[in-house]
Amino acid sequence: MKALTFAGRRSVRLESVAEPEIVAPFDAIVEVRLTAVCGSDLHVYHEREKGIDVGTTLGHELVGEVVEIGRSLTTLKPGDRVASPFTTSCGRCFYCARGLTCRCIEGQLFGWVEGGEGLQGTQAERVRVPLADTTLVVLPEDVSDEDGLLLGDVLSTGEFCADLAGVDASGVYAVVGCGPVGLMAVLAARRRGAEQVFAIDSVRERLQLAQAFGAVAVNRENSAPLDAIREVTEGRGADAVLEVVGSPAATRLAVDLVRPGGVVASVGVHTEEQFAFAPVEAYDKNLTYRSGRCPARHYMEQLLPVVRDCRHPWRSVISHRLPLEDGPRGYALFDARQDGCTKVVLRP
Ligand SMILES: NC(=O)c1ccc[n+]([C@@H]2O[C@H](COP(=O)([O-])OP(=O)(O)OC[C@H]3O[C@@H](n4cnc5c(N)ncnc54)[C@H](O)[C@@H]3O)[C@@H](O)[C@H]2O)c1
Ligand SMILES: [Zn+2]
Ligand SMILES: [Zn+2]
């Protein structure tokens, strides 16, 4: 079958790879209807995240149809239309029981194979899903493939970030980074009633979307985000900053923007070894820093009713719908933020 594989720094290849097979009793094979390219794939693409084997099938976003099931699966059946979070989870362990499905003791991340160990990704015609009945979510008929796809990653992560930030109706918030996840964080903050959400980026199309989603767009290249936020907070700074980039510069900006006693909620994937702020700054600002991988499986269930209420505009983040064969071009466009590229959805 065809798949997009990692071929070294900034190189993704369309290749013929082995068909996935059931190897454990809780596995399912899913035929991919839609997958996508995520900002997290770019960390791999640029080798900021190191260690992935060349030839690994990339990707972790998935909507598809169950085509084969392992002998111990009881709730899934062939023909089910399913969406997947980007990690697998058992639904039973200490972490799953507390809703932290991203830290399941048996969990694996799609699209990461290192030294021959790990799980192949979803940017392929078919994919093996371990722990399938507690990982996959069967989609109701009134949820479209694209909504199901967004639910499994960007929508859940935006919501998680707003929760980490403790967004409520009364505060002033800044979202640093208006990629698909940052845009979902804007929507999540607005759904919680926040009226003053500043969205910071430098890409025109993304700032326009943030504005359409109800944020005040601030282009960091030609205006100072700190001035804009100070102006409406009597000079204090934001009550919380949602950091959705994953770079030292973004952390630095977030810490500068937040007021004393405020929260920096970071869902950007960080690969650096040191914080971009000093312990003394954290102390002097009474700073709370919260971060981590989104427990997407946990959020998917909570958000299904929101997704079924189809008044929300999140699908407008999808700028490109390409066949899987065009994946290498999709990576390049998304990486360069060219051609108005905000989110690339791939169809095998
Ligand atoms: N925590 C999780 O579970 C989780 C899940 C999904 C994605 N992520 C991470 O979220 C981040 C965003 O993902 P995405 O898909 O939206 O990616 P993206 O790369 O499209 O978005 C990043 C955006 O940040 C902007 N940016 C870069 N530097 C900036 C700066 N210093 N200040 C303000 N804006 C800046 C870019 O122009 C871009 O629009 C990535 O790090 C990704 O790995 C984390
Ligand atoms: Zn992702
Ligand atoms: Zn578990």
Side-chain angles (χ1 to χ4, degrees):
M1 66 166 186
K2 280 183 238 142
L4 298 178
T5 63
F6 177 72
R9 179 169 298 179
R10 299 186 64 198
S11 179
V12 170
R13 231 179 250 157
L14 181 74
E15 274 194 312
S16 251
V17 301
E19 281 287 343
E21 285 170 12
I22 301 274
V23 297
F26 289 99
D27 285 357
I29 305 297
V30 174
E31 183 146 276
V32 181
R33 284 161 78 135
L34 294 180
T35 179
V37 186
C38 179
S40 298
D41 296 320
L42 296 181
H43 295 299
V44 180
Y45 185 68
H46 284 281
E47 288 191 321
R48 288 189 289 265
E49 258 178 309
K50 294 185 177 67
I52 189 173
D53 293 351
V54 165
T56 301
T57 297
L58 293 165
H60 53 258
E61 291 170 87
L62 166 67
V63 162
E65 191 181 311
V66 175
V67 289
E68 205 185 327
I69 56 170
R71 62 183 154 76
S72 299
L73 291 176
T74 51
T75 55
L76 278 178
K77 54 184 189 314
D80 283 346
R81 190 172 62 105
V82 292
S84 184
F86 50 89
T87 59
T88 61
S89 51
C90 74
R92 289 176 295 272
C93 73
F94 177 91
Y95 297 103
C96 284
R98 284 159 181 76
L100 200 61
T101 51
C102 56
R103 297 297 164 203
C104 174
I105 57 169
E106 293 181 60
Q108 287 177 290
L109 173 67
F110 287 101
W112 191 268
V113 177
E114 185 170 353
E117 299 281 312
L119 192 56
Q120 299 289 353
T122 59
Q123 291 164 4
E125 290 181 279
R126 278 164 292 281
V127 60
R128 179 175 77 89
V129 180
L131 307 171
D133 53 357
T134 45
T135 295
L136 297 170
V137 173
V138 177
L139 290 176
E141 250 172 50
D142 57 355
V143 172
S144 70
D145 286 354
E146 287 188 350
D147 282 344
L149 186 73
L150 298 176
L151 182 66
D153 187 343
V154 300
L155 192 50
S156 291
T157 306
E159 201 74 23
F160 171 60
C161 191
D163 279 347
L164 289 182
V167 174
D168 64 26
S170 64
V172 175
Y173 302 100
V175 176
V176 175
C178 298
V181 183
L183 289 166
M184 295 299 142
V186 167
L187 283 175
R190 296 284 292 141
R191 258 200 315 282
R192 285 160 168 74
E195 280 175 12
Q196 288 184 296
V197 181
F198 291 84
I200 301 156
D201 205 301
S202 56
V203 181
R204 193 170 46 94
E205 294 85 358
R206 297 179 178 206
L207 287 168
Q208 282 168 350
L209 274 170
Q211 193 148 2
F213 289 176
V216 178
V218 181
N219 188 331
R220 66 189 176 98
E221 272 175 1
N222 46 37
S223 50
L226 188 54
D227 291 346
I229 291 165
R230 280 191 172 150
E231 206 169 294
V232 298
T233 57
E234 297 166 327
R236 287 188 299 271
D239 295 303
V241 181
L242 293 75
E243 185 275 298
V244 202
V245 180
S247 74
T251 306
R252 189 59 257 170
L253 179 59
V255 171
D256 290 339
L257 295 180
V258 76
R259 68 163 166 82
V263 179
V264 170
S266 167
V267 296
V269 169
H270 287 273
T271 51
E272 63 272 20
E273 301 274 326
Q274 307 273 330
F275 277 110
F277 59 91
V280 61
E281 287 182 88
Y283 181 84
D284 283 348
K285 249 194 174 173
N286 283 43
L287 179 73
T288 300
Y289 183 88
R290 306 186 73 192
S291 71
R293 179 183 278 174
C294 172
R297 179 61 171 78
H298 176 69
Y299 273 88
M300 286 173 81
E301 263 174 52
Q302 286 184 19
L303 287 170
L304 250 188
V306 181
V307 171
R308 296 180 86 166
D309 164 16
C310 51
R311 286 175 306 144
H312 296 285
W314 45 72
R315 246 181 286 166
S316 50
V317 302
I318 302 173
S319 56
H320 290 68
R321 295 168 174 85
L322 304 175
L324 185 71
E325 288 79 358
D326 278 350
R329 186 167 73 91
Y331 268 82
L333 284 175
F334 181 58
D335 178 44
R337 290 146 199 158
Q338 268 171 357
D339 190 23
C341 187
T342 315
K343 180 85 182 162
V344 178
V345 167
L346 300 169
R347 187 183 289 279

